[in-house]
Amino acid sequence: MKRYFITLSLLAIVAMAAMAQLTARTAFAEAPSSVFPLLDKLTRLDMIDYFEAGSKVESVNALEGASAVTSLSDESLTVHLTDASDVQLFVVPTAKSDAVIGVITTVATPGHDSSLALYSGRWKRLDGLFTAPKLADWLTDPRRSAEVEIVVPFMLTSYLYNPADKTLTLTNNLKGFLSDDIYSMVDGLVRPSLVYRWDGNRFVRQK
């Protein structure tokens, strides 16, 4: 019985060490097809190899389009997925043994717009670690919210994670969507960006 518990303890230690060493490269390669439905595992491995070899060769995705890894580090990997979309995958440490994987998908609407999904190191979807801002969070003067809501039907926001300082920057892209005369009506009333920082457990908005 004692040997059984020792074996379990060793397996747990090995599993924790492997999780602590999770890199963006490994996360991308091992991601389930539901996360990257346009790229099977072999294609993803080829894309990593091409990038690391300095090759400009692009891989064919499930839509018969071209995909390529455009940046890669231990903490972050960026993929040009299609002509209209890019993905940034990043890995952040947690206060616990597990790591958190973030997947930012950015689509090229008239103004770039992003969404963020967070997962455990075993690719289980995690909720409550980041709350996307509402329009009120973007306002420089809450008293003029009704005025802004008339002009701004929805926000267009691009996300970018910076592993150097563990910040997530959300950039306001309304100017690329609204006409100049319409945008001038809210210029200065909507913040140009919002910054969130990973505190070891969740992304917290910075003042």
Side-chain angles (χ1 to χ4, degrees):
M1 183 63 71
K2 183 178 180 181
R3 181 177 299 174
Y4 173 76
F5 283 115
I6 291 175
T7 300
L8 284 180
S9 297
L10 289 174
L11 289 174
I13 291 172
V14 170
M16 289 172 63
M19 192 59 62
Q21 296 172 3
L22 181 66
T23 64
R25 183 189 196 282
T26 302
F28 180 60
E30 299 298 329
S33 58
S34 58
V35 177
F36 290 101
L38 298 186
L39 304 171
D40 60 40
K41 183 174 181 178
L42 289 178
T43 300
R44 281 179 261 145
L45 289 172
D46 285 343
M47 292 166 64
I48 293 171
D49 288 342
Y50 291 145
F51 179 84
E52 293 181 332
S55 171
K56 299 297 183 181
V57 173
E58 296 177 316
S59 298
V60 179
N61 59 48
L63 295 177
E64 301 298 322
S67 299
V69 171
T70 57
S71 69
L72 175 60
S73 69
D74 285 345
E75 299 86 8
S76 177
L77 175 149
T78 304
V79 179
H80 180 64
L81 190 58
T82 70
D83 289 342
S85 62
D86 294 275
V87 175
Q88 182 188 19
L89 180 152
F90 61 87
V91 178
V92 292
T94 69
K96 301 176 182 179
S97 59
D98 200 0
V100 168
I101 302 169
V103 178
I104 297 171
T105 302
T106 302
V107 295
T109 60
H112 286 74
D113 196 34
S114 299
S115 61
L116 170 63
L118 295 168
Y119 304 86
S120 71
R122 297 176 178 84
W123 288 104
K124 178 182 178 181
R125 185 65 181 264
L126 301 174
D127 297 316
L129 304 187
F130 169 73
T131 301
K134 299 178 180 179
L135 179 59
D137 298 312
W138 288 94
L139 300 181
T140 58
D141 185 352
R143 296 170 299 179
R144 302 180 68 177
S145 60
E147 178 182 343
V148 175
E149 288 174 1
I150 294 174
V151 178
V152 180
F154 49 81
M155 288 296 299
L156 287 176
T157 311
S158 55
Y159 293 17
L160 180 65
Y161 176 72
N162 182 356
D165 55 10
K166 297 180 176 60
T167 56
L168 177 68
T169 300
L170 280 58
T171 301
N172 168 10
N173 292 324
L174 286 175
K175 191 171 184 179
F177 171 68
L178 301 174
S179 61
D180 290 343
D181 57 333
I182 296 296
Y183 183 77
S184 66
M185 298 170 63
V186 296
D187 189 17
L189 298 179
V190 183
R191 301 177 192 278
S193 64
L194 296 176
V195 177
Y196 293 73
R197 188 181 303 276
W198 180 255
D199 69 357
N201 295 293
R202 60 191 300 269
F203 280 105
V204 178
R205 182 181 165 187
Q206 304 299 287
K207 301 300 184 182

